[in-house]
Amino acid sequence: MTLPEMQRCIVHLDLDYFFAQCEEVRDPHLKGKPLMVCVYSGRSEDSGVISTANYEARKFGVKSGIPIVIAKKYLIDIPESIFLPMNRDLYSDLSQKVMAIAREYGDPIEQTGLDECYIEITRRLNKDFEGSEDLADLLKEKIRKLVGLTSSIGIAPNKLVAKIASEFCKPDGLKLVRPEDVLDFLSPLSINQLPGIGKKMLVRMNDLGVSEIGDLRELKLEALIREFGKSQGLYFHDAAHGIDNLPVKERGEAEQIGRIVTLKEDSNDLNFIKGSLESISGDVYDRCQERGVAFRSLGVILITDEIKTYSRSRTLDSKSISRQKILELGCELTEIFLRENPAIKIRRIGLKLYGFEATDNQTSLSQFMN
Ligand code: DCP
Ligand code: CA
Ligand code: CA
């Protein structure tokens, strides 16, 4: 079976007990003992919280976010326990090494934290999902060999299920969820395995009789929207059905999309300038479409015949993806500028869009997922 068109294969890679494991890489003697990385507040010797702990410490109930004093109580009978301060440079150095390796295994990759990323491997597979496990095994092995870290990998037809799968198989695991198995995989999982369900939401869900993802699937979309509002309701409905169409996107892309052109001649005639604004609008609009984003803010850049630069901008009440809107706003801002500055002639004109948000078919999920 070849991958049907539009069928994606996504890897979610998450490094195990990351900060603490980095410390073990730095000093292998630390291995095998309960190890805590601490965020010391500095108020008193032990004030602060646990950033993360290795699995030996977790056996005693230590976890991220608990006070250091509590962790010390849990480990009172284990004198070889180790408490270390944060060493951010080390974590970011090892993180960069891992991400560079991940990049060799797919394209694009979306880094969502120091210790995790999504990798789109669809185009690396020419047969079916089976090849994906071998690929992920190679990736895990390479990270272990070259960086010294263990990781957990989920493979699924979308980011949501891949993330749940990597969490599911921790530590040092690999979990493939084939498209036909998505619903069976999700059904028995506790509802708080879904990204975006914290303690409060868990209580609300339990009150509705929902404790597993399968229970959530029983609820109708209308009922979910009534209970949680449109965007959350949609998210829960899609998530319960294992649906997520969000693309894997490189981070750190330009925060704005813009273009500047030189007018055929210097001018303060809006009708003449409008011709250029039309073509720039089309261009920035196309680039928004390619990236699948809507914008909230638009600015015009006006460069005068004396090479002075001015700009005017506007933020909308709600996001827009309309080419017409871009042109209208561009003209409006230019007109206001020209009215206020009748003596100025424009040599170059530009538009920029920023304040990006996901387009509508993406909103429900993107609010809750990395
Ligand atoms: N972190 C933190 N405070 C938290 C949660 C996490 O400082 N409340 C830091 C330390 C973690 C890193 O972020 O090492 C990654 O977080 P994860 O949630 O992925 O947890 P770990 O990697 O520590 O453990 P796991 O093996 O469960 O992934
Ligand atoms: Ca992790
Ligand atoms: Ca993580």
Side-chain angles (χ1 to χ4, degrees), residues 14-18 115 170:
D14 192 298
L15 299 165
D16 300 325
Y17 64 103
F18 182 52
D115 80 323
K170 249 166 211 312

Side-chain angles (χ1 to χ4, degrees), residues 283-300:
D283 181 62
V284 292
Y285 168 81
D286 287 346
R287 282 156 64 199
C288 275
Q289 292 288 93
E290 275 164 26
R291 276 178 55 182
V293 291
F295 67 95
R296 278 291 294 277
S297 302
L298 176 146
V300 291

Side-chain angles (χ1 to χ4, degrees), residues 12-15 115-116 163 167 170:
H12 184 255
L13 164 75
D14 192 298
L15 299 165
D115 80 323
E116 60 184 86
K163 180 161 173 85
E167 189 66 36
K170 249 166 211 312

Side-chain angles (χ1 to χ4, degrees), residues 257 277-278 280-289 293 295 297-300 316 320-334 351-353:
I257 291 176
L277 281 172
E278 261 163 14
I280 314 174
S281 305
D283 181 62
V284 292
Y285 168 81
D286 287 346
R287 282 156 64 199
C288 275
Q289 292 288 93
V293 291
F295 67 95
S297 302
L298 176 146
V300 291
L316 304 171
S320 167
I321 44 165
S322 148
R323 180 199 294 253
Q324 188 57 30
K325 187 91 192 165
I326 299 172
L327 179 61
E328 270 171 28
L329 278 171
C331 287
E332 194 184 321
L333 292 170
T334 306
L351 280 180
K352 64 174 182 188
L353 305 179

Side-chain angles (χ1 to χ4, degrees), residues 311-359:
S311 63
R312 293 289 183 271
S313 64
R314 173 82 51 84
T315 294
L316 304 171
D317 292 332
S318 59
K319 67 185 174 192
S320 167
I321 44 165
S322 148
R323 180 199 294 253
Q324 188 57 30
K325 187 91 192 165
I326 299 172
L327 179 61
E328 270 171 28
L329 278 171
C331 287
E332 194 184 321
L333 292 170
T334 306
E335 189 181 7
I336 294 171
F337 177 83
L338 292 173
R339 220 184 303 130
E340 286 169 358
N341 301 280
I344 289 181
K345 283 201 166 181
I346 305 300
R347 178 178 156 78
R348 306 187 74 207
I349 180 120
L351 280 180
K352 64 174 182 188
L353 305 179
Y354 52 103
F356 296 127
E357 294 178 15
T359 48

